[in-house]
Amino acid sequence: MFEIPKDRSRLNKASWFFFAAVGISSVFILIFLASRQAFSSDNTNSHFPVAVVINSPLNVTVSGYGKFVPRVQRGINALSGGHIIEVFKKPGSLVAEGEVILSLNNPKLLRLMETSELALLEEQANQRRVEAESAQALEDQRGNIRLAKVKLALADAELVAHRRLKDNQVISTLDLHKAQVAWEQEDAMLQMELSRFQTLQKTRKAIEDSTRYRLEKAIKERELLVSEVEQLNVRASMTGMLTELADGLEIGRHVEEGQAVGMIADLSSYYARINITAADAEYVNPGLLTKVQFKGVEIIGEVSRVDPTVNNGSVELDIGFSVNLPMAVRPNIDVTAKIAIAEYQHTLVVDRPIGVVRAHREYPIFVLDEVNAIFQQRNVTIGDIAGDKMQVLDGVFQGEKILLKVPKHLANSSEILMADLYE
């Protein structure tokens, strides 16, 4: 008997189709990889890349970093010494001119001020005494003068009478002479009292001046001490932001007279202080345009100053701004800057090989001879460098390819075969 054959299950059919699809996909992948290897534009592996010289625009910049710096800053100094009793403001606080930053206490200074007040009262009383004495002494002397004038008038009348009597021969010449001597005596007394009055005026004026000077001195000393006591409240020297406070300004700490305690910045005007490498500084001059970036904001500025000295391999420069800065700008915010030192619309440009680090130099570079499949060393003159791109001035032409990385074992060779790159 014949058995009727059974249909294949659906599972067997699905397995057959799955394996067939996998096989076809594998074939296509192998063909793709083989064709890519066969038709690759450069015949070197990824460890030894090449670059093509092209004609392209090139913007050359120098990068730096730094901070925003207020154009106007003023220090805060403690004009009187003392111990801190309270700190009212911290760095970052907005302050108005004259606002108290911190308060000091100085008991010795307070005692001196109290003593100066007593000394002032004493000098004021002494001045009133001297003025009263002067007035009395001058008035007494004026009385002496009036009395001397009366006596002189009396002597003058007696002299006149004696002259008449002598003319009538009532008295003798001796009596007339005695009357004349008496008049001269009283006149001399009057002149003496007048001279004494002038001398007394000068003397009393000198005493009053001396007393007034001592009083003025006491007033100045008290004013100075009052000012020093007032200066125990260290105040803001201008309106702005308190950007710095000296270290160790804590309650109870002693602050010396004249000690710098902080810094205030005017928030209305800033410039950027940037540091760049000393190698880049030779290409930077005042007037170059600069793009300053902070917090994603880009601001156009201009180099205003380049420091002539080098510190720790870097050079400091200032960037000014002619536009209004964003409100978010604050003192000492970190910024980055790109200074445009050159711009080319059409020039030969190529990727920068390893070992090319300085612009405007001549370097030995391996250039590909595609006909003979060999890299030959040439002296190539480099112009400006912009990141990983460089300008070519002489030694290679547009469309030629250069080797960007030379294997260590071939570094001293003048020619490199393509095959040598795979060894």
Side-chain angles (χ1 to χ4, degrees):
M1 295 181 64
F2 296 97
E3 295 181 358
I4 299 174
K6 299 179 180 180
D7 294 335
R8 295 181 180 177
S9 67
R10 294 182 179 179
L11 180 61
N12 291 335
K13 291 181 179 180
S15 299
W16 186 85
F17 281 115
F18 173 76
F19 287 114
V22 170
I24 294 173
S25 299
S26 300
V27 171
F28 276 110
I29 290 172
L30 291 174
I31 293 174
F32 173 76
L33 292 176
S35 62
R36 185 177 180 183
Q37 179 69 22
F39 298 103
S40 177
S41 60
D42 59 52
N43 295 322
T44 62
N45 59 27
S46 61
H47 295 290
F48 305 102
V50 298
V52 181
V53 179
I54 61 174
N55 192 302
S56 170
L58 183 67
N59 294 324
V60 185
T61 61
V62 168
S63 297
Y65 65 92
K67 298 178 181 295
F68 279 122
V69 180
R71 289 193 178 276
V72 179
Q73 296 187 88
R74 290 184 186 173
I76 309 171
N77 295 82
L79 301 180
S80 296
H83 290 85
I84 299 174
I85 56 176
E86 190 167 358
V87 178
F88 296 98
K89 300 294 182 180
K90 297 292 185 181
S93 301
L94 297 177
V95 296
E97 183 177 359
E99 192 169 354
V100 178
I101 305 297
L102 56 89
S103 291
L104 306 175
N105 182 38
N106 189 330
K108 181 179 179 180
L109 185 60
L110 295 174
R111 287 194 299 271
L112 288 174
M113 189 183 73
E114 293 175 356
T115 303
S116 72
E117 291 177 348
L118 295 175
L120 176 59
L121 293 174
E122 182 181 2
E123 291 299 333
Q124 289 173 339
N126 185 53
Q127 185 186 39
R128 290 192 293 269
R129 178 184 62 81
V130 169
E131 289 175 350
E133 290 177 350
S134 296
Q136 184 62 49
L138 291 173
E139 186 60 30
D140 291 344
Q141 187 60 29
R142 290 189 186 97
N144 293 334
I145 293 173
R146 286 193 296 269
L147 181 59
K149 287 180 178 180
V150 170
K151 290 181 178 181
L152 179 61
L154 181 60
D156 186 67
E158 289 181 353
L159 179 60
V160 171
H162 277 71
R163 284 175 179 171
R164 287 178 181 176
L165 292 172
K166 177 66 176 64
D167 291 340
N168 295 325
Q169 297 182 354
V170 175
I171 61 174
S172 63
T173 303
L174 180 59
D175 292 333
L176 178 62
H177 181 70
K178 288 181 180 180
Q180 179 71 34
V181 170
W183 181 89
E184 291 177 355
Q185 184 179 359
E186 294 300 332
D187 182 64
M189 290 297 296
L190 176 60
Q191 298 302 320
M192 185 177 63
E193 294 296 341
L194 290 173
S195 176
R196 187 177 295 170
F197 180 75
Q198 293 177 350
T199 302
L200 183 62
Q201 281 183 316
K202 294 178 181 179
T203 303
R204 298 313 301 184
K205 184 178 184 303
I207 294 173
E208 290 176 0
D209 289 343
S210 176
T211 304
R212 187 176 68 255
Y213 295 150
R214 287 199 301 270
L215 177 60
E216 290 177 356
K217 179 181 178 182
I219 292 173
K220 294 295 184 183
E221 288 179 351
R222 183 179 180 279
E223 289 177 350
L224 179 60
L225 289 169
V226 169
S227 175
E228 290 185 9
V229 170
E230 173 60 25
Q231 288 164 357
L232 290 175
N233 291 321
V234 181
R235 300 178 181 273
S237 54
M238 69 176 185
T239 299
M241 175 183 284
L242 181 65
T243 57
E244 296 179 24
L245 270 182
D247 296 335
L249 293 182
E250 300 174 356
I251 295 176
R253 293 291 183 90
H254 186 267
V255 175
E256 297 291 340
E257 180 180 351
Q259 179 179 336
V261 298
M263 184 77 70
I264 294 180
D266 181 6
L267 302 183
S268 62
S269 180
Y270 293 86
Y271 66 95
R273 178 156 291 171
I274 304 297
N275 287 288
I276 60 175
T277 64
D280 291 335
E282 61 180 294
Y283 308 112
V284 178
N285 296 304
L288 293 178
L289 291 179
T290 306
K291 293 180 179 179
V292 176
Q293 292 185 340
F294 84 105
K295 295 184 177 180
V297 179
E298 185 174 86
I299 308 171
I300 303 300
E302 185 176 290
V303 177
S304 60
R305 181 188 71 91
V306 180
D307 198 309
T309 59
V310 178
N311 293 315
N312 298 323
S314 66
V315 171
E316 187 178 80
L317 55 88
D318 295 340
I319 298 173
F321 304 97
S322 59
V323 297
N324 294 328
L325 300 180
M327 295 297 295
V329 173
R330 285 293 182 270
N332 300 322
I333 288 182
D334 292 332
V335 298
T336 59
K338 288 187 177 181
I339 305 166
I341 61 174
E343 182 177 355
Y344 303 95
Q345 296 298 325
H346 299 285
T347 188
L348 294 182
V349 178
V350 69
D351 291 347
R352 182 160 57 96
I354 294 176
V356 176
V357 293
R358 297 292 302 274
H360 301 281
R361 300 287 191 276
E362 187 176 78
Y363 288 92
I365 294 177
F366 287 94
V367 183
L368 178 62
D369 180 354
E370 296 191 74
V371 176
N372 298 313
I374 189 173
F375 285 97
Q376 296 179 333
Q377 191 179 77
R378 298 186 199 170
N379 289 327
V380 178
T381 303
I382 305 303
D384 288 313
I385 294 177
D388 60 350
K389 303 290 184 181
M390 68 180 187
Q391 179 190 30
V392 177
L393 300 180
D394 190 27
V396 292
F397 301 96
Q398 182 176 347
E400 290 191 301
K401 298 179 181 179
I402 65 172
L403 187 62
L404 299 180
K405 182 179 179 181
V406 179
K408 292 182 179 180
H409 66 283
L410 300 174
N412 296 324
S413 303
S414 59
E415 293 183 347
I416 300 177
L417 296 173
M418 297 285 291
D420 292 339
L421 297 177
Y422 294 95
E423 292 182 359

